């Protein structure tokens, strides 16, 4: 190599870290013409020369070094490569340069000329590093390794698990209800009264498992399944039951179905706990606002947490009610006020007339919470509690209830005062008794009126007779015409 320059350039390759001496800084500063000096290996060696190449020992070290550089941190391999380096160092990333300066006290340069220089070095990397055909396989191996590393070491932000878990939970609920209804209908032939006494599906299945035949109910202890009152009620009903008898084979099949219902119930509880923990890890602020189930359904409906974060508050509000929205737009009716968010506890607590307003406020706060969850690094609740408190305060304000300090909210919806009747300024017209007079009018006027009425009647009769004469003639003419 030629004489050492005053500047070094750090080049990160799939095989290791390389340090190059800059031989001609004046040419490097001419950014627009720099690519011309790297058209051949001979020309490139007049601009830079390799000082040191620290090779990675294995793929694990290469992945760790690449991950550190992406995060802008100084790893062990990079420290080893920059040992005893006192010259100014050109780097490709400003964040990495700041970390190197902080940890190793080396002055770093980051500008467009360094980027162009590194592009030229990358173009002639095989001639500088003498790796031959191995470079492509190294690149491929590192790319696969780094992808696996990212998936492996960031499981907390993988929201696919939430989408799958909430889908499975809904399917389990449907199956559990179908199985439980079939069990109640089947065992109901033997002991129909128990269906109303024990409404819970899992409790019903466990009771049937313990009891078996109705006749053994009195001697069975249900203390670990039912309360004392329910247990006594079941035993009393079994004594006077109207159910039919069943065979041992029938009961065996019913008990197998009971076992399925109990197992499904236990797995459903376990899956809900898993979903709850996952939601608290991935979307803690959203979980505080709407709960685990509604939050998970919103994420599943949007496709991912990031997709949900891209939605505006107005879309979050009606997410899940798209069918009703488009039907309303088509028929020019009122659009829906809420979708999946309707099932949130805050909307449920609101009065019916305030549900629309609360859902709009809640959707706005949820949109902010989701963005914090999707784009921040922390997995702790940051704005969720404060946002929920504001929604609750607004609800109290709408309902006119006092706030937490006991003060009456000024903007509450108070009942409107009744309108008080005020009499008109001008008095109403008084009753005129003269209007009721039945006195006969003058004789001449009466005669004239009678004559007029008689003339009208005669004229009407004449017209009617004429119509009667013309009707048969018109009918005959019409018939002849046909």
């Amino acid at each position: 190599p030629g004489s050492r320059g005053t500047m070094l350039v750090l080049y990160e390759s799939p095989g290791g870290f390389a340090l190059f001496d800059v031989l001609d800084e004046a040419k490097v500063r001419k950014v627009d013409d720099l690519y011309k000096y790297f058209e051949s290996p001979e020309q490139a060696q007049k601009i830079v020369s390799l000082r040191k190449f620290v090779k990675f020992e294995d793929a694990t070290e290469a992945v760790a070094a690449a991950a550190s550089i992406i995060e802008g941190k100084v790893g062990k391999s990079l420290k080893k490569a920059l040992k005893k380096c006192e010259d100014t160092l050109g780097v490709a990333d400003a964040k990495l340069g700041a970390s190197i300066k902080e940890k190793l006290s080396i002055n770093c340069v980051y500008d467009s000329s360094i980027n162009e220089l590194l592009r030229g070095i990358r173009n002639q990397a095989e001639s500088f590093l003498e790796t031959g055909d191995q470079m492509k396989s190294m690149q491929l191996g590192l790319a696969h390794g780094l992808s696996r590393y990212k998936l492996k070491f960031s499981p907390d932000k993988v929201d696919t698990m939430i989408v799958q878990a909430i889908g499975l939970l809904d399917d389990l609920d449907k199956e559990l209800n179908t199985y439980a209804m079939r069990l109640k209908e089947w065992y109901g032939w033997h002991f129909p009264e128990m269906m109303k006494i024990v409404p819970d599906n899992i409790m019903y299945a466990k009771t049937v498992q313990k009891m078996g035949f109705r006749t053994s109910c009195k001697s069975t202890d249900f203390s670990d399944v039912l309360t004392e009152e329910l247990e006594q009620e079941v035993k009393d009903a079994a004594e006077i039951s109207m159910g039919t008898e069943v065979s041992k084979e029938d009961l065996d099949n019913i008990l197998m179905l009971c076992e399925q219902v109990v197992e499904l119930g236990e797995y459903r509880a376990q899956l809900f706990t898993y979903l709850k923990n996952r939601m608290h890890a991935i979307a803690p602020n959203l979980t505080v606002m709407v709960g685990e189930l509604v939050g998970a359904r919103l994420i599943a409906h949007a496709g991912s947490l990031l997709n949900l974060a891209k939605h505006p508050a107005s879309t979050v509000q009606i997410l899940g009610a798209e069918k009703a929205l488009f039907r309303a737009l088509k028929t020019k009716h009122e659009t829906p006020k809420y979708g999946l968010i309707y099932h949130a506890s805050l909307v449920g607590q609101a009065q019916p007339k305030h549900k629309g307003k609360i859902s709009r406020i809640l959707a706005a706060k949820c949109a902010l919470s989701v963005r914090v969850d999707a784009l921040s690094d922390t997995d702790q609740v940051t704005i969720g509690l404060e946002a929920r408190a504001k929604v609750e305060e607004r609800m109290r304000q709408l309902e006119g209830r006092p706030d937490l300090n006991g003060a009456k909210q000024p903007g509450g919806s108070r009942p409107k005062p009744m309108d008080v009747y005020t009499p008109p300024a001008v008095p109403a017209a008084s009753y005129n008794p003269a209007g009721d007079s039945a006195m006969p009018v003058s004789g001449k006027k009466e005669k004239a009126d009678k004559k007029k009425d008689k003339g009208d009647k005669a004229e009407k009769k004449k017209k009617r007779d004429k119509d009667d004469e013309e009707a048969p003639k018109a009918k005959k003419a019409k018939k002849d015409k046909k």
Side-chain angles (χ1 to χ4, degrees):
S3 59
R4 292 187 179 185
T6 55
M7 181 189 282
L8 286 172
V9 177
L10 175 66
Y11 174 68
E12 307 131 13
S13 77
F17 290 112
L19 287 174
F20 288 91
D21 282 308
V22 179
L23 303 177
D24 194 341
E25 286 190 41
K27 289 180 179 178
V28 170
R29 296 299 168 199
K30 296 176 183 177
V31 179
D32 295 337
D33 299 329
L34 193 56
Y35 72 94
K36 295 176 183 177
Y37 303 113
F38 287 92
E39 288 177 350
S40 66
E42 293 77 17
Q43 286 177 299
Q45 285 173 1
K46 292 176 183 177
I47 304 297
V48 292
S49 65
L50 182 65
R51 178 188 285 195
K52 188 196 287 187
F53 180 62
V54 179
K55 196 174 181 181
F56 297 135
E57 292 180 7
D58 51 24
T60 308
E61 188 183 350
V63 169
S68 299
I69 287 171
I70 289 168
E71 293 169 7
K73 296 177 182 177
V74 181
K76 290 181 182 178
S77 304
L78 188 56
K79 278 184 184 177
K80 186 179 174 183
L82 297 176
K83 200 174 181 182
K84 296 179 182 179
C85 176
E86 296 176 358
D87 298 322
T88 304
L89 185 68
V91 293
D93 184 19
K95 191 178 177 183
L96 179 63
S99 298
I100 291 171
K101 189 173 183 179
E102 185 185 342
K103 294 279 180 71
L104 305 175
S105 303
I106 299 171
N107 288 327
C108 295
V109 179
Y110 167 75
D111 54 24
S112 58
S113 62
I114 298 297
N115 281 338
E116 283 296 323
L117 185 60
L118 286 168
R119 191 175 284 116
I121 292 171
R122 192 178 299 112
N123 192 32
Q124 299 294 338
E126 291 183 11
S127 62
F128 280 120
L129 303 178
E130 297 178 356
T131 54
D133 295 333
Q134 293 179 3
M135 184 63 76
K136 286 184 180 178
S137 59
M138 285 179 183
Q139 286 174 344
L140 190 63
L142 181 60
H144 287 174
L146 194 59
S147 299
R148 280 194 294 270
Y149 171 85
K150 283 183 176 179
L151 286 174
K152 184 179 177 183
F153 290 101
S154 61
D156 288 346
K157 290 293 178 187
V158 179
D159 45 17
T160 313
M161 303 302 168
I162 285 179
V163 176
Q164 298 297 333
I166 191 66
L168 178 58
L169 196 71
D170 289 340
D171 291 344
L172 273 177
D173 284 337
K174 288 177 187 174
E175 290 297 319
L176 196 57
N177 283 333
T178 307
Y179 278 29
M181 288 307 296
R182 179 62 60 194
L183 172 64
K184 286 180 179 181
E185 193 177 336
W186 199 352
Y187 193 73
W189 286 99
H190 182 56
F191 190 1
E193 292 82 5
M194 197 174 84
M195 199 184 298
K196 290 182 180 178
I197 300 168
V198 186
D200 185 73
N201 295 335
I202 308 300
M203 206 182 285
Y204 186 94
K206 287 180 178 178
T207 306
V208 173
Q209 273 185 323
K210 275 188 165 293
M211 179 167 47
F213 286 109
R214 184 185 66 222
T215 49
S216 60
C217 179
K218 196 170 184 180
S219 58
T220 309
D221 180 26
F222 299 105
S223 57
D224 56 337
V225 180
L226 303 173
T227 59
E228 286 183 18
E229 293 81 4
L230 281 178
E231 184 178 356
Q232 189 58 45
E233 204 173 337
V234 168
K235 287 182 177 179
D236 292 343
E239 293 290 324
I240 54 168
S241 177
M242 298 289 290
T244 184
E245 296 300 323
V246 292
S247 66
K248 181 74 171 65
E249 189 180 356
D250 295 332
L251 186 66
D252 288 342
N253 282 285
I254 291 171
L255 291 176
M256 284 171 70
L257 181 57
C258 286
E259 194 178 336
Q260 291 287 326
V261 171
V262 172
E263 283 179 4
L264 276 175
E266 288 172 355
Y267 178 56
R268 198 251 178 218
Q270 180 191 338
L271 186 66
F272 178 69
T273 306
Y274 164 76
L275 180 65
K276 191 176 176 182
N277 295 335
R278 219 72 176 107
M279 281 297 294
H280 281 289
I282 293 174
N285 292 292
L286 181 64
T287 305
V288 167
M289 292 301 300
V290 295
E292 296 87 7
L293 288 176
V294 178
R297 285 196 176 96
L298 285 170
I299 292 171
H301 199 82
S304 69
L305 186 66
L306 196 60
N307 285 353
L308 184 61
K310 291 174 184 176
H311 287 321
S314 56
T315 305
V316 173
Q317 184 182 345
I318 58 166
L319 211 61
E322 291 85 359
K323 206 171 181 180
L325 173 69
F326 292 125
R327 186 171 61 243
L329 291 173
K330 188 178 179 181
T331 56
K332 295 181 181 177
H333 285 91
E334 288 186 4
T335 52
K337 292 178 182 176
Y338 24 65
L340 291 167
I341 210 168
Y342 179 80
H343 301 288
S345 59
L346 284 170
V347 178
Q349 291 167 20
Q351 293 177 4
K353 61 181 178 180
H354 296 145
K355 283 187 189 293
K357 287 182 180 177
I358 294 300
S359 65
R360 186 171 68 247
I361 298 159
L362 183 61
K365 297 299 180 187
C366 283
L368 291 174
S369 301
V370 169
R371 286 163 198 168
V372 171
D373 290 332
L375 305 172
S376 67
D377 296 329
T378 180
D379 59 349
Q380 301 298 320
V381 179
T382 51
I383 67 165
L385 294 171
E386 186 183 347
R388 187 182 175 94
K390 284 183 180 177
V391 178
E392 288 173 349
E393 185 183 346
R394 178 62 179 149
M395 193 191 300
R396 282 192 295 273
Q397 188 180 356
L398 285 170
E399 293 172 359
R401 291 187 285 130
D403 61 10
L404 296 176
N405 300 323
K408 188 80 173 174
Q409 295 289 346
S413 56
R414 304 183 186 88
K416 293 181 180 178
M418 291 180 67
D419 294 332
V420 179
Y421 174 73
T422 53
V426 180
S430 60
Y431 177 69
N432 184 15
D436 291 340
S437 176
M439 292 287 288
V441 291
S442 60
K444 283 185 181 180
K445 193 175 181 182
E446 190 178 353
K447 280 181 183 180
D449 288 342
K450 281 182 180 179
K451 197 174 182 182
K452 189 180 179 183
D453 290 342
K454 199 181 273 186
D456 290 343
K457 283 179 182 178
E459 192 177 341
K460 281 181 185 176
K461 190 180 179 184
K462 194 176 180 182
K463 190 179 180 183
R464 192 164 54 246
D465 293 342
K466 191 179 179 183
D467 290 342
D468 291 342
E469 286 174 10
E470 288 178 357
K473 290 179 183 179
K475 197 172 182 183
K476 191 178 179 184
K478 194 175 181 182
K479 193 175 180 181
D480 295 340
K481 194 177 181 182
K482 281 183 180 180

